[in-house]
Amino acid sequence: MLTLLKLLKDGRFHSGQALGEALGISRSAVWKQLQLLEAELGLSIHKVRGRGYQLATPLTLLDPVEVRAHSPACDWPVHVFDSIDSTNAEALRAIDRGQAAPFLVLAERQTAGRGRRGRKWVSPFAENIYYSLVLRIEGGMRQLEGLSLVVGLAVMHALREQGVAGVGLKWPNDLLVGQKKIAGILLELVGDPADVCHVVLGVGINVNMQMADEVDQQWTSMRLEAGRMFDRNQLAAGLSVTLESYLARHRVSGFSTIHAEWEQNHLWQGRAVSLIAGVNQIDGVVMGIDSQGALRLKVDGVEKVFSGGELSLRLRNDS
Ligand code: ATP
């Protein structure tokens, strides 16, 4: 099915006969595969008698050679999947198989893309970036301090460099434009954080997506913000370059040197919020983060510090 898609991706008309010949299948088999492309990948295909078939929108697919060519300083292998359950899940399996880190997993779509606490990350085919970079970390907890926040800053810069203004951060792991989510981050760790471990830096960015009924909160995409389409190979490469530079800073000097920059870009700095922890809710005002990336909230006039993967922030109406 994807071989057929690769023939169609130029956005031109192709006759059923030519497609059948190229694939070594009958015209009716071509027709069946076209139906599958529409049903499974949500693609729209024009069918015009006498001319053939044409993708409604031309596609640029991910290409590891291009990603590497645009990020020559990032010397890590790039693995691209047409379809995978989750790039983070695949990265964890690869660690398990003994694949040497660093390496990068990208996918055209995720069938079980995930956010925190088993939430779903909506991941349609060939529209967005689903990116998991695996690092091997030796020598302790300091290397992990504030790491997901550092990844957030790198993603923010990668988006701004592509011309998407107004992207900012929301503690702990979201990127927003205004109130709308444009990207999310999910770090997963295996091994012993005090000794040797592997960390998967998972990033989902809404790039060219224009419709996604299944996303149950406000969202946007680079295309919706900038009014044009983006080349995902260049974006993935740009992200690798900014990530590499932030990770190097973090490795050398720790999170404390990045802390102020993170706060400057925190959209909810000084805002009245509710912090949700399971069934509990704590109301307060965001003061910032501490030197390890934990959230500082003023609660009833007193500063309190919160950290952990189970916490969610919501703006209060009086904010
Ligand atoms: P929190 O607000 O607690 O940080 P979250 O709601 O942002 O948590 P995450 O685990 O970061 O949760 O992301 C998963 C959530 O993001 C989903 O429950 C859904 O509401 C939303 N979501 C899913 N897919 C997308 C997408 N492609 N773009 C934007 N938002 C999405």
Side-chain angles (χ1 to χ4, degrees), residues 113-124 128 130 170-176 180-186 204-207 209 212 214-221 268 276 309-314:
R114 57 200 197 206
R116 296 186 303 154
R117 281 158 286 164
R119 291 194 196 134
K120 185 177 167 174
W121 188 260
V122 174
S123 309
N128 298 328
Y130 318 115
K170 178 198 144 196
W171 190 89
N173 66 333
D174 289 340
L175 285 99
L176 309 180
K180 299 176 186 167
K181 185 154 27 170
I182 193 164
I185 290 159
L186 180 67
I205 305 175
N206 295 335
V207 185
M209 186 162 82
E214 320 92 288
V215 181
D216 57 6
Q217 58 173 288
Q218 289 192 70
W219 65 274
T220 188
S221 67
W268 290 10
I276 318 286
E310 300 301 302
L311 303 172
S312 291
L313 275 189
R314 297 284 173 264

Side-chain angles (χ1 to χ4, degrees), residues 183-200:
I185 290 159
L186 180 67
L187 261 59
E188 296 187 85
L189 193 136
V190 277
D192 179 359
D195 184 18
V196 176
C197 67
H198 285 88
V199 60
V200 180

Side-chain angles (χ1 to χ4, degrees), residues 137-314:
I137 295 198
E138 264 178 65
M141 303 296 283
R142 190 162 167 271
Q143 301 281 330
L144 297 167
E145 263 171 26
L147 189 56
S148 73
L149 280 65
V150 173
V151 175
L153 263 179
V155 176
M156 185 193 79
H157 279 292
L159 265 56
R160 287 191 187 164
E161 270 162 29
Q162 296 274 329
V164 182
V167 190
L169 302 162
K170 178 198 144 196
W171 190 89
N173 66 333
D174 289 340
L175 285 99
L176 309 180
V177 179
Q179 304 274 351
K180 299 176 186 167
K181 185 154 27 170
I182 193 164
I185 290 159
L186 180 67
L187 261 59
E188 296 187 85
L189 193 136
V190 277
D192 179 359
D195 184 18
V196 176
C197 67
H198 285 88
V199 60
V200 180
L201 312 179
V203 179
I205 305 175
N206 295 335
V207 185
N208 295 320
M209 186 162 82
Q210 290 186 286
M211 275 189 333
D213 297 338
E214 320 92 288
V215 181
D216 57 6
Q217 58 173 288
Q218 289 192 70
W219 65 274
T220 188
S221 67
M222 295 172 68
R223 181 176 183 179
L224 289 173
E225 292 304 316
R228 66 177 179 90
M229 288 186 75
F230 290 85
D231 180 325
R232 292 174 306 132
N233 289 308
Q234 276 185 25
L235 176 65
L239 175 58
S240 289
V241 172
T242 46
L243 249 182
E244 167 61 14
S245 117
Y246 271 95
L247 291 171
R249 262 175 74 190
H250 184 246
R251 215 165 27 239
V252 173
S253 319
F255 182 65
S256 55
T257 57
I258 301 170
H259 162 218
E261 188 184 339
W262 195 92
E263 281 188 342
Q264 279 153 22
N265 291 288
H266 190 207
L267 294 170
W268 290 10
Q269 203 71 8
R271 305 291 296 271
V273 296
S274 298
L275 183 69
I276 318 286
V279 290
N280 299 317
Q281 174 174 332
I282 300 152
D283 291 345
V285 173
V286 176
M287 300 176 70
I289 50 172
D290 72 5
S291 59
Q292 294 168 16
L295 181 74
R296 294 165 52 229
L297 267 193
K298 188 166 266 182
V299 182
D300 297 329
V302 179
E303 177 177 334
K304 295 200 171 160
V305 175
F306 300 90
S307 63
E310 300 301 302
L311 303 172
S312 291
L313 275 189
R314 297 284 173 264

Side-chain angles (χ1 to χ4, degrees), residues 12-226:
R12 300 214 174 108
F13 272 103
H14 296 261
S15 72
Q17 186 169 347
L19 292 171
E21 278 168 14
L23 295 171
I25 58 177
S26 67
R27 283 170 63 174
S28 68
V30 169
W31 172 255
K32 278 193 195 131
Q33 286 203 16
L34 289 165
Q35 312 268 76
L36 270 180
L37 280 178
E38 289 189 305
E40 278 210 10
L41 303 182
L43 298 169
S44 169
I45 297 166
H46 296 151
K47 307 166 184 90
V48 177
R49 194 177 280 275
R51 296 188 73 187
Y53 308 104
Q54 177 197 42
L55 274 183
T57 319
L59 276 181
T60 308
L61 295 175
L62 292 170
D63 177 349
V65 177
E66 271 218 42
V67 175
R68 299 264 331 236
H70 289 294
S71 53
C74 301
D75 193 19
W76 48 59
V78 179
H79 305 282
V80 176
F81 292 81
D82 290 330
S83 179
I84 197 88
D85 50 355
S86 132
T87 54
N88 267 30
E90 174 55 27
L92 290 168
R93 286 191 293 267
I95 295 168
D96 217 36
R97 292 194 297 267
Q99 187 163 328
F103 62 90
L104 174 61
V105 179
L106 295 171
E108 293 290 5
R109 75 161 171 171
Q110 299 184 115
T111 54
R114 57 200 197 206
R116 296 186 303 154
R117 281 158 286 164
R119 291 194 196 134
K120 185 177 167 174
W121 188 260
V122 174
S123 309
F125 183 81
E127 296 193 345
N128 298 328
I129 289 279
Y130 318 115
Y131 178 112
S132 296
L133 178 65
V134 179
L135 304 177
R136 182 175 190 273
I137 295 198
E138 264 178 65
M141 303 296 283
R142 190 162 167 271
Q143 301 281 330
L144 297 167
E145 263 171 26
L147 189 56
S148 73
L149 280 65
V150 173
V151 175
L153 263 179
V155 176
M156 185 193 79
H157 279 292
L159 265 56
R160 287 191 187 164
E161 270 162 29
Q162 296 274 329
V164 182
V167 190
L169 302 162
K170 178 198 144 196
W171 190 89
N173 66 333
D174 289 340
L175 285 99
L176 309 180
V177 179
Q179 304 274 351
K180 299 176 186 167
K181 185 154 27 170
I182 193 164
I185 290 159
L186 180 67
L187 261 59
E188 296 187 85
L189 193 136
V190 277
D192 179 359
D195 184 18
V196 176
C197 67
H198 285 88
V199 60
V200 180
L201 312 179
V203 179
I205 305 175
N206 295 335
V207 185
N208 295 320
M209 186 162 82
Q210 290 186 286
M211 275 189 333
D213 297 338
E214 320 92 288
V215 181
D216 57 6
Q217 58 173 288
Q218 289 192 70
W219 65 274
T220 188
S221 67
M222 295 172 68
R223 181 176 183 179
L224 289 173
E225 292 304 316

